[in-house]
Amino acid sequence: MAPKLAILDDYQNISPRHFAHLTSRVDISYFPETLNPRDTAQQKQLIQRLHPFEIIVAQRERTPFSRETLSALPNLKLLLTTGTRNLALDTAYCSERGIPVAGTQRRPPGINSTVQHTWALILGVARHIARDDAAIKRGQWQGSLGITLAGKTLGLLGVGKLGAQVGRIAVQAFGMSVIAWSTNLTQEKADEQAAAMGLPGGSFKAVQEKLEFFRQADVISLHNVLSERSRGIVGREELQAMKKTALLVNTSRGPLVDETALLETLNAGGIAGAALDVFEAEPLPVESVWRTTAWGKDGRSEVLLTPHMGYGDEQIHGWYEEVAQNLERWLNGQELTVRLN
């Protein structure tokens, strides 16, 4: 019998064309509806769904695979994922089980897709693009004034490759000052990241005290990796430290921000606005207060939402093509590329 392949969380049905040439060799099932294993009931559903499958293809970190989940999948022989890494997979446990895990390496040239989306959100919420578009289509005209970015301070919570690219645009395109904070960040490291972007030393100023970082920034953009240590790294105290005129932008991971504290802050108009591409629960439930609240009205902050599209561009086609090529290698008994364990 052909091995059973489960392709998960392909919201836009992009993958089938890339696996079509393998349909005579594998029995493919598609599951675009995400189940969240952090919810006990959904974890049981996930295990029941995937129990028969020998091969699973994960779309980045949409479905986490912990030791607990993986241990309940005795038929699993191969775990493939899009992206160069996936911290939501327990690769160490897979190694114990002898299950190979492999990713993809394709990266389009130039400015990263998530960086582009970050700036789209910063500009979108600062200039009220979505609200003004909706107002015009309702027959209305001008509302409130936009926020000028020139001369303001951008705060990077995390100054790795993506954060550094966002910072470079802030400096070169808008003449913004850039500050940065992350656990153990030094000025030397910040200077190294600036140099990698072709900027002089001091272009990214490392702030040692976390709350001071939140007090200084006019726009805060998150670029942290999600781990148990970084979960909730932006909490009530940090949000209360922000300027009332400040903006918060998250294109990284939803759980980096304490969602309850953020909702309280935005409902009270504690900051000028937030632009979010990522959420605690994804896909965002239809009844979610993020969808149903009248943001920007009755004293509430402006809120701009997108459906986790930071990396959702043409590169996904390239990722699925690589995954299909890796699957074909495995079927042919060849070495996998981009091994993650």
Side-chain angles (χ1 to χ4, degrees):
M1 292 180 63
K4 294 180 180 295
L5 165 65
I7 298 179
L8 308 184
D9 308 325
D10 178 13
Y11 300 152
Q12 297 187 43
N13 199 35
I14 293 170
S15 60
R17 73 188 73 176
H18 300 289
F19 292 84
H21 65 292
L22 297 174
T23 52
S24 64
R25 303 183 66 184
V26 290
D27 181 5
I28 306 176
S29 297
Y30 298 92
F31 299 100
E33 303 85 9
T34 298
L35 292 172
N36 180 10
R38 286 184 169 273
D39 178 277
T40 302
Q42 291 189 47
Q43 185 187 34
K44 289 180 180 178
Q45 287 180 267
L46 181 67
I47 290 168
Q48 289 175 348
R49 170 186 285 180
L50 298 179
H51 192 273
F53 291 91
E54 290 100 330
I55 310 162
I56 295 173
V57 172
Q59 172 56 262
R60 291 295 298 267
E61 298 170 6
R62 290 176 180 172
T63 297
F65 282 92
S66 64
R67 174 181 291 258
E68 183 180 3
T69 299
L70 290 165
S71 65
L73 302 175
N75 298 308
L76 184 62
K77 294 181 175 64
L78 175 65
L79 182 56
L80 300 172
T81 180
T82 57
T84 56
R85 65 178 177 181
N86 189 334
L87 297 181
L89 310 180
D90 191 332
T91 55
Y93 176 73
C94 287
S95 295
E96 292 176 19
R97 283 263 307 271
I99 301 168
V101 183
T104 56
Q105 61 186 359
R106 182 171 303 193
R107 294 180 178 179
I111 298 173
N112 183 279
S113 172
T114 301
V115 173
Q116 296 179 50
H117 200 76
T118 298
W119 275 103
L121 288 182
I122 292 173
L123 291 167
V125 70
R127 307 303 300 188
H128 311 304
I129 301 298
R131 172 155 51 95
D132 286 351
D133 172 77
I136 288 176
K137 291 172 180 174
R138 290 194 303 267
Q140 299 171 343
W141 194 231
Q142 293 184 358
S144 56
L145 298 176
I147 297 171
T148 297
L149 297 175
K152 295 289 192 350
T153 297
L154 171 68
L156 299 172
L157 202 155
V159 67
K161 291 180 181 179
L162 299 187
Q165 285 191 28
V166 171
R168 178 178 65 179
I169 293 170
V171 172
Q172 294 181 335
F174 297 100
M176 298 181 77
S177 299
V178 177
I179 60 174
W181 179 90
S182 63
T183 307
N184 302 320
L185 178 66
T186 64
Q187 187 58 51
E188 181 181 11
K189 178 62 177 177
D191 287 342
E192 288 176 4
Q193 292 296 84
M197 295 294 105
L199 299 173
S203 295
F204 301 160
K205 180 184 175 184
V207 178
Q208 299 304 309
E209 209 277 307
K210 185 181 179 184
L211 291 182
E212 185 58 30
F213 165 81
F214 279 86
R215 292 187 190 102
Q216 289 184 25
D218 296 297
V219 180
I220 289 178
S221 185
L222 276 61
H223 301 283
N224 265 70
V225 172
L226 179 63
S227 66
E228 287 309 310
R229 188 175 68 170
S230 64
R231 184 176 292 271
I233 197 169
V234 180
R236 185 170 283 101
E237 190 176 14
E238 289 77 19
L239 292 167
Q240 288 176 347
M242 292 177 67
K243 299 177 182 178
K244 193 174 177 64
T245 55
L247 303 173
L248 179 75
V249 180
N250 190 2
T251 56
S252 187
R253 295 291 181 269
L256 292 171
V257 183
D258 180 332
E259 187 175 76
T260 300
L262 180 57
L263 284 166
E264 289 175 1
T265 299
L266 296 172
N267 272 301
I271 59 177
L276 308 174
D277 186 47
V278 289
F279 306 89
E280 181 74 35
E282 295 182 6
L284 199 61
V286 173
E287 69 279 6
S288 168
V289 293
W290 289 114
R291 295 180 184 262
T292 58
T293 302
W295 299 114
K297 298 180 179 179
D298 302 320
R300 300 182 191 91
S301 305
E302 188 90 3
V303 173
L304 179 63
L305 308 175
T306 54
H308 204 152
M309 293 299 293
Y311 64 88
D313 63 8
E314 296 94 338
Q315 70 179 331
I316 292 181
H317 283 285
W319 283 344
Y320 277 130
E321 182 180 341
E322 282 189 67
V323 171
Q325 291 170 354
N326 243 350
L327 174 58
E328 193 166 12
R329 287 190 189 92
W330 184 79
L331 292 170
N332 293 336
Q334 299 170 332
E335 286 292 319
L336 297 169
T337 61
V338 198
R339 282 292 295 266
L340 302 182
N341 67 345

